[in-house]
Amino acid sequence: MDFTSFAKPSNVDGNNENNSTDLHFWKHVEYIENHGKDQDDYEYCMTEFLRMSGIYWGVTALDIMNQLDRLDRTSIIDFIRRCQCPVTGGFAPCEGHDPHILYTLSAIQILCIYDALNEIDCEAVVRYVSGLQQFDGSFFGDKWGEVDTRFSFCAVAILTLLGRMEGTINVDRAIKFVMSCCNQTDGGFGSKPGAESHAGLIYCCVGFLSLTQSLHLLDVDKLGWWLCERQLTSGGLNGRPEKLPDVCYSWWVLSSLTIMGRLHWISAEKLKQFILTCQDSETGGFADRTGNMPDIFHTLFGIGALSILGFEGLKAINPTLCMPQYVIDRLGIKPQILSKP
Amino acid sequence: MEQSYESAVGTIQRILGLYFVKCLKGGKMSDSDSDDWSEEWIPYSERNEWADIVPIPQDDGEHPIVAIAYSPKFREVFDYFRAVLAHREKSQRALELTADALRLNPANYTVWQYRRDILRALESDLYEELDYLDEVIRDNAKNYQVWHHRRVIVEMLNDSSKELELTEVALERDNKNYHAWQHRQWAIKTFDLFENELSFVDRLIAEDIRNNSAWNQRFFVLKHFGFTSDVVQREIQYTMNRIRVVKNNESAWNYLGGILKYEDNGTGNCHQEVLSFCEELYTSGVRSPYLLAFLIDLYRDQCLQQSNVTESDVLSRKVFNLCNDMSKKYDIVRRKYWQYIAEQFKENLAEK
Ligand SMILES: [Zn+2]
């Protein structure tokens, strides 16, 4: 398949209807581009509190599709600047909201993609992130003190992207905390010590170990087996035993296996088919699974997973940071990735 | 599980994993104008007690990236909320306003945070807040903010007496709800509520033998009490009995593997017993990939510890045959994994 031969949106997918094996490339571009432009989009208004992440999902997906120029760089950067909290240095999802480490990562990721870190006060971000680390090495998500391995990932991802991991946090303790969330029964990770293994949190912990160059701490064979057990007969992957498959879990399992050098342990072809059936051929966008309503979140992870699977016409994505690989290269960052055995 | 999620009125998102995972369901998002409370609704602009407040509309800046069409009620409630927030007004009416705002959008964490500020300032009755939360959690059981708010309130009260019941109710509706399990573990750890947890877990496993969350909770509880050899022995019996009922149960097999590791040096009686159990299943024709994977592990470990060459050959042949069967018959989709396991084993043997 060659996307360069696809016409632009005017005669979208003309002869692709009902063929689930094709990627509705231009429909997805249109879907992301129009996301938020729709005046009646109730979903959009209900998700104001995660706007920053919404923009990151859209920007990244469009860049992976080589269509970044469809969004207005200047207004996005202006928006991000307005969201930086002058007191704490963290980023809010939207003006009028409180800062949180989740949106701080999204903001930094967008700025890196636009090569625009100089537009904000990076020192303040470093202070914000290091201030969230606790004595046991864990991280708060914000001043309210929720602890979660997601926040450990966010912290090291932000500092890595800013090139400020050295001397800003206690990395050894951070690693110790993450490893204390590893479960002896299945080799996976949960949100806190003792919490059930969960593919999304495994991605956070494996990604964390990749960024701190400590993948040797993983029981790769055991965790790899659990992860590839997530593949169901539909080809899709679930996030926990006995749960339904989902495009976003497919990304989390797939990226974890890629970081661990074990992508080949699952059937890429079947997964690709599953992801393609989750496209909405009318509106564009991907849903969590076949037949459901698409949203921007699953659209990024659908596109991202296809990129990892080597789908033609998509830029390479970095499995650890879920950002275009060329951006990671430009920053000179090298998250650890294990080689195929 | 999905069903109870769908039925959770007002839940617009599940929040899991790294980001806010929005698994929005088509048609499930009720527009705020069409819900059950619109009849008695009096706009804030028509309420005397709010006459002194000038609402602040959403300002998206000069070049809005987002142009938002709010429903009139939604817009008004949040315009008043912004005004109250701007004045840092902490009053009973502001508290009630946050409840309206959260009813419209329970995932808006800024409103929750401000609600906590008000509760503190007013020194409100926090037991009333717990009652309020019982209701909100019932309708929004997969929302990060509501559970977090609950935790903060319980900490402020330093009273966890209602948490086991609350989570039990949530788990009755969805026995794998990650938030409910997290909250339960937090309460158990923080307030030392381990005592009766094992019987709760027993009940859940009896109800749904494949419930991975319940098996995980079992491990969580026993790890707290300590894996004495009695406990290990008992748990192995327990798990084998559950596997006899459902053979292809990933959770039970993983649990068995986790427990077995607590037996000293891995060569004790339990190992022998589990091996006989597995072989018995195999001989009776069971070909669950979990059983075969477990046998491969056991034979491999035994083989690598075996000094007698003949014995070792018998075991290694078993490992290779099983790996071969997995990759060609019982787990074809993961054949690369089984080929790798066989390769690894070959290398281990060479190094032996
Ligand atoms: Zn999903």
Side-chain angles (χ1 to χ4, degrees):
Chain A
M1 226 180 308
D2 178 14
F3 292 116
T4 52
S5 67
F6 274 58
K8 283 254 181 172
S10 47
N11 56 347
V12 212
D13 296 336
N15 39 24
N16 290 343
E17 299 301 342
N18 307 322
N19 190 344
S20 65
T21 58
D22 284 329
L23 177 68
H24 299 291
F25 189 89
W26 294 111
K27 287 247 164 138
H28 298 316
V29 172
E30 232 186 321
Y31 175 81
I32 300 165
E33 198 184 355
N34 292 330
H35 184 72
K37 281 188 187 160
D38 187 350
Q39 295 286 322
D40 301 316
D41 194 341
Y42 183 71
E43 175 205 336
Y44 210 76
C45 113
M46 289 298 275
T47 55
E48 175 188 275
F49 59 87
L50 49 75
R51 178 93 349 116
M52 187 67 79
S53 296
I55 296 172
Y56 154 72
W57 299 328
V59 163
T60 307
L62 281 181
D63 198 5
I64 294 296
M65 293 195 282
N66 208 11
Q67 299 293 320
L68 188 57
D69 55 358
R70 288 173 181 256
L71 297 176
D72 182 25
R73 180 183 192 272
T74 314
S75 62
I76 289 178
I77 292 173
D78 281 351
F79 170 80
I80 295 175
R81 286 159 54 111
R82 291 201 304 272
C83 289
Q84 186 169 24
C85 171
V87 182
T88 61
F91 284 82
C94 194
E95 280 171 280
H97 288 261
D98 293 317
H100 194 287
I101 199 166
L102 287 167
Y103 311 114
T104 305
L105 175 58
S106 295
I108 297 300
Q109 284 173 308
I110 303 164
L111 291 169
C112 285
I113 289 173
Y114 281 126
D115 200 7
L117 281 174
N118 58 327
E119 299 276 351
I120 53 132
D121 183 353
C122 291
E123 250 344 277
V125 179
V126 172
R127 277 198 304 276
Y128 176 70
V129 172
S130 57
L132 291 171
Q133 190 173 30
Q134 304 305 301
F135 184 74
D136 66 356
S138 67
F139 284 84
F140 282 179
D142 62 9
K143 65 171 176 171
W144 288 99
E146 195 196 350
V147 163
D148 192 309
T149 45
R150 288 179 307 153
F151 308 148
S152 297
F153 173 79
C154 289
V156 298
I158 293 165
L159 295 174
T160 300
L161 290 168
L162 295 177
R164 295 297 309 278
M165 202 112 96
E166 298 278 303
T168 49
I169 54 166
N170 187 327
V171 177
D172 290 342
R173 280 215 186 115
I175 295 172
K176 219 171 166 190
F177 174 77
V178 166
M179 289 313 295
S180 75
C181 300
C182 184
N183 290 312
Q184 290 158 300
T185 47
D186 52 31
F189 293 81
S191 59
K192 296 174 182 65
E196 186 186 0
S197 295
H198 177 291
L201 299 161
I202 289 172
Y203 163 74
C204 290
C205 295
V206 171
F208 171 96
L209 295 171
S210 156
L211 292 170
T212 53
Q213 312 289 319
S214 354
L215 287 173
H216 61 278
L217 297 172
L218 280 180
D219 185 343
V220 173
D221 289 351
K222 188 175 181 128
L223 176 56
W225 157 250
W226 191 84
L227 286 170
C228 60
E229 274 298 300
R230 299 300 109 236
Q231 187 160 41
L232 306 173
T233 42
S234 68
L237 306 170
N238 63 10
R240 283 187 279 163
E242 302 296 312
K243 300 285 271 186
L244 294 171
D246 184 322
V247 165
C248 68
Y249 292 115
S250 299
W251 159 264
W252 285 323
V253 173
L254 194 64
S255 53
S256 303
L257 285 171
T258 306
I259 294 168
M260 290 158 53
R262 302 300 193 270
L263 177 59
H264 58 292
W265 282 358
I266 59 164
S267 165
E269 194 44 46
K270 290 186 90 177
L271 175 58
K272 198 190 290 179
Q273 291 312 320
F274 168 79
I275 293 171
L276 289 171
T277 64
C278 297
Q279 302 177 93
D280 191 317
S281 57
E282 277 167 39
T283 62
F286 289 77
D288 56 351
R289 52 189 149 267
T290 320
N292 286 347
M293 280 246 293
D295 63 70
I296 187 110
F297 173 84
H298 289 96
T299 302
L300 167 62
F301 291 127
I303 298 285
L306 291 175
S307 164
I308 285 196
L309 295 172
F311 215 85
E312 218 176 304
L314 300 175
K315 287 186 194 169
I317 194 164
N318 181 276
T320 305
L321 288 155
C322 192
M323 291 164 69
Q325 183 60 42
Y326 81 91
V327 176
I328 304 305
D329 293 340
R330 187 171 64 202
L331 290 162
I333 296 168
K334 288 194 177 60
Q336 188 186 6
I337 288 191
L338 299 178
S339 55
K340 199 172 152 179
Chain B
M1 288 47 343
E2 283 305 303
Q3 241 166 0
S4 60
Y5 164 62
E6 299 259 309
S7 70
V9 184
T11 302
I12 63 152
Q13 59 162 13
R14 283 192 288 171
I15 308 168
L16 288 168
L18 172 57
Y19 300 107
F20 292 88
V21 178
K22 310 174 293 123
C23 288
L24 297 162
K25 303 293 173 192
K28 288 292 165 192
M29 290 191 308
S30 60
D31 187 292
S32 48
D33 275 346
S34 55
D35 61 10
D36 53 312
W37 55 323
S38 45
E39 278 163 35
E40 327 99 68
W41 180 256
I42 301 161
Y44 277 75
S45 57
E46 289 169 22
R47 299 185 198 181
N48 282 336
E49 69 273 26
W50 284 94
D52 59 311
I53 294 287
V54 182
I56 302 176
Q58 171 79 14
D59 176 15
D60 279 324
E62 221 178 311
H63 305 285
I65 299 175
V66 292
I68 299 168
Y70 298 102
S71 77
K73 190 202 296 172
F74 190 101
R75 189 189 306 123
E76 199 200 29
V77 167
F78 279 88
D79 288 354
Y80 275 83
F81 175 72
R82 269 184 287 273
V84 159
L85 191 63
H87 297 140
R88 307 302 296 172
E89 177 181 319
K90 287 161 190 157
S91 61
Q92 190 56 35
R93 70 174 183 180
L95 189 68
E96 284 157 22
L97 176 65
T98 60
D100 275 349
L102 291 168
R103 199 159 172 185
L104 289 162
N105 191 354
N108 188 318
Y109 73 100
T110 302
V111 182
W112 283 112
Q113 293 188 357
Y114 194 60
R115 187 175 172 89
R116 288 194 282 275
D117 289 343
I118 299 173
L119 289 169
R120 279 206 183 87
L122 298 185
E123 294 178 19
S124 308
D125 179 358
L126 295 179
Y127 285 100
E128 262 175 41
E129 189 68 3
L130 288 187
D131 291 342
Y132 163 72
L133 278 173
D134 284 350
E135 227 175 282
V136 180
I137 286 175
R138 199 187 57 216
D139 294 339
N140 302 279
K142 293 207 170 173
N143 171 310
Y144 265 104
Q145 282 73 34
V146 294
W147 288 102
H148 182 61
H149 187 71
R150 177 79 182 196
R151 179 178 157 170
V152 176
I153 301 301
V154 172
E155 276 171 342
M156 284 162 77
L157 278 168
N158 194 27
D159 178 355
S160 65
S161 56
K162 291 175 155 189
E163 301 320 289
L164 293 184
E165 195 195 333
L166 171 84
T167 48
E168 191 173 334
V169 170
L171 293 173
E172 261 162 34
R173 295 175 142 230
D174 173 359
N175 64 9
K176 295 175 192 134
N177 181 334
Y178 206 82
H179 302 278
W181 281 111
Q182 271 192 146
H183 186 77
R184 192 173 176 92
Q185 287 198 349
W186 167 77
I188 288 174
K189 263 194 280 195
T190 311
F191 298 94
D192 192 12
L193 307 174
F194 284 95
E195 203 189 334
N196 300 314
E197 189 61 6
L198 205 54
S199 52
F200 175 72
V201 171
D202 269 344
R203 206 184 80 211
L204 262 72
I205 292 178
E207 282 165 14
D208 175 5
I209 203 166
R210 294 178 189 265
N211 183 350
N212 194 59
S213 309
W215 285 96
N216 181 71
Q217 186 76 346
R218 192 169 185 91
F219 203 83
F220 167 77
V221 173
L222 292 173
K223 201 172 173 186
H224 167 76
F225 288 121
F227 288 106
T228 61
S229 58
D230 282 357
V231 169
V232 170
Q233 181 64 40
R234 187 193 71 202
E235 287 306 301
I236 284 170
Q237 295 304 329
Y238 176 91
T239 312
M240 292 193 306
N241 285 335
R242 297 300 169 290
I243 291 173
R244 284 189 181 100
V245 179
V246 175
K247 274 94 180 172
N248 198 39
N249 183 356
E250 181 179 1
S251 307
W253 283 107
N254 283 339
Y255 183 81
L256 185 61
I259 291 293
L260 213 50
K261 261 187 247 140
Y262 279 90
E263 200 191 28
D264 330 315
N265 71 33
T267 49
N269 294 333
C270 291
H271 262 77
Q272 266 317 318
E273 201 178 346
V274 170
L275 180 61
S276 318
F277 165 73
C278 291
E279 288 177 330
E280 203 179 290
L281 287 178
Y282 187 84
T283 315
S284 72
V286 177
R287 291 295 179 271
S288 155
Y290 304 113
L291 166 67
L292 270 62
F294 211 91
L295 272 172
I296 289 171
D297 271 356
L298 291 173
Y299 288 144
R300 185 182 53 190
D301 293 351
Q302 278 196 344
C303 175
L304 294 173
Q305 284 163 13
Q306 180 60 253
S307 48
N308 179 311
V309 181
T310 328
E311 291 276 312
S312 163
D313 278 356
V314 172
L315 288 163
S316 69
R317 220 164 320 127
K318 282 181 178 170
V319 173
F320 288 125
N321 284 340
L322 283 168
C323 284
N324 195 42
D325 282 355
M326 286 296 252
S327 61
K328 295 205 170 118
K329 270 190 261 180
Y330 306 116
D331 202 21
I332 299 168
V333 82
R334 280 167 281 271
R335 63 182 175 281
K336 296 263 174 57
Y337 174 81
W338 294 111
Q339 288 160 3
Y340 163 81
I341 293 296
E343 282 302 313
Q344 280 293 104
F345 180 57
K346 210 179 278 175
E347 280 177 33
N348 292 340
L349 277 181
E351 286 161 12
K352 197 177 145 185

